[in-house]
Amino acid sequence: MAQLWGGRFEKATDDMVYAFNASINFDKRLLREDITGSRVHAKMLAKQGIISDDECSQIVDGLDRILSDVESGSLIITEEYEDVHSFVEATLTDRIGDAGKKLHTGRSRNDQVALDMRLYTRGRVEAMADRLTDIMKAILSIMEKNIDTYMPGFTHLQKAQPVTLAHHMGAYFEMFKRDRERMASIRERMNYCPLGSGALAGTTYPLDREYVAEELGFDRGPTPNSMDGVSDRDYLIEFLSALSTVMMHLSRFSEEIIIWNSDEYRFVDIDDAYSTGSSIMPQKKNPDIAELVRGKTGRVYGALMSLLTTMKGIPLAYNKDMQEDKEMAFDAMDTAENCLILFTGMLETMRFNDKVMEASATRGFTNATDAADYLVKNGVPFRDAHGIIGRLVLYCIEEKCAIDDVPLEKLQEFSPKFGEDIYDAISLRTCVDRRLTVGAPGHEVMEEYIKKCAEEV
Ligand code: ARG
């Protein structure tokens, strides 16, 4: 066992206690951030005359060697160490001697871990924003090809009014754009440097916290309160919340693709590379990736609830509870990022059956509102028009036909205001292309909208 403390203890730690307390198994993923922070800390200590320049260069070289040796596999992080911070300091001291023992001057593991986690999370926030741009690009490319691909729009999963595939996809473009904005605002708000907060109350050494913050790219400077600096995990909660929202969006999208890919719909075909089979039913090709993305949403929500609950009862400042901020958060970050990557791949390779979508849009009275609007334009009050078309739909259901199939003389029995131009007024193309309000699926509006979307990616 290699730990950074022990002077005031008379007995060794119980084995099970040691294992229960240790975090090395999961915080070893912070190695790079730990070393980055320690390099800057050492350089700052030397600049302030707290350690010598020679000690500083021994420390910095030693840290660099530890990182490259771990990355090349010649140095293994073992469970003998309590956490990644202990591993780095103990290995450094083994290798360079006394200078290594000076690295922790004016620093606590509390501000060290706060720094490592913030640096790591900031990187993952940035990566997430990039993955969101990738999915926005994939959606945009579907939109560009499908401005005139008609499909039914649904409410209550019942056909409602005709839209286009481009319009439907645009809704997801907006969701992921908001997700990306959330990433940017989290990054901005979190960008304070906690190093130099000490255990909780700062330190008596003349640390240059501004220098450290600047070297590490924290443009908002050092955290303004040292107790908050070591015990703030808001940024992580915000990130988990934003990831949960991304997953919620992906899950809704997955649900639609699962429905669209079903034999009853056949709106889309998922590529073989993104489908799986059944061990017993030879005919099956299942949308497992979409189902797994929908399923994994629960895990990410779980990480958010877990951290919120962990944090809710913690008195100031650092308490060991906070070590629980890592495992589930790491899992949530990996899960959300992988889901986004896989989902984007599935989207890029998916085939849309435009004929099937269009045929579906022509059934189910998706043009009933437009038929009512036609009567309104010919002087019938909307509420009366609504009633007339309702009775017409009932007639069509009995006759098993569409409104478009009813001859003009018959239509005129429902209302004398029907004229020959009704058929064009309720055609799929007219229903869609007359919808020219901002945000609607009409061809001209969509073209303008897609141009704006292209500027976002
Ligand atoms: N492994 C700890 C964590 O992840 C590091 C900080 C430990 N500090 C302490 N005083 N025990 O939170």
Side-chain angles (χ1 to χ4, degrees), residues 367-377 380-382 385-386 389 426:
N367 54 2
T369 313
D370 296 83
D373 289 343
Y374 170 91
L375 292 179
V376 171
K377 280 172 201 144
V380 182
F382 179 76
H386 188 283
I389 302 299
I426 60 170

Side-chain angles (χ1 to χ4, degrees), residues 172-185:
Y172 286 104
F173 189 92
E174 290 301 311
M175 291 180 228
F176 294 121
K177 189 174 119 187
R178 286 195 295 276
D179 285 332
R180 195 178 60 174
E181 281 167 14
R182 266 185 277 277
M183 297 304 155
S185 82

Side-chain angles (χ1 to χ4, degrees), residues 81-114:
Y81 304 92
E82 182 187 337
D83 54 25
V84 69
H85 328 294
S86 315
F87 163 76
V88 172
E89 190 178 318
T91 311
L92 184 69
T93 304
D94 275 354
R95 289 180 166 192
I96 69 167
D98 280 350
K101 295 184 190 163
K102 295 194 175 180
L103 170 61
H104 210 52
T105 311
R107 186 175 75 169
S108 157
R109 272 184 301 163
N110 298 352
D111 59 347
Q112 189 178 356
V113 76

Side-chain angles (χ1 to χ4, degrees), residues 23 27 83 85 109-110 113 318 320 323 326:
S23 53
D27 67 19
D83 54 25
H85 328 294
R109 272 184 301 163
N110 298 352
V113 76
Y318 179 85
K320 200 56 173 268
Q323 182 165 286
K326 295 182 191 61

Side-chain angles (χ1 to χ4, degrees), residues 17-49:
V17 170
Y18 190 86
F20 188 68
N21 183 56
S23 53
I24 188 82
N25 276 331
F26 48 88
D27 67 19
K28 62 183 171 197
R29 79 153 86 188
L30 301 176
L31 179 75
R32 177 173 282 277
E33 288 72 22
D34 199 71
I35 285 182
T36 304
S38 289
R39 279 173 117 261
V40 175
H41 183 65
K43 277 169 40 192
M44 183 275 295
L45 291 176
K47 187 179 84 66
Q48 299 300 93

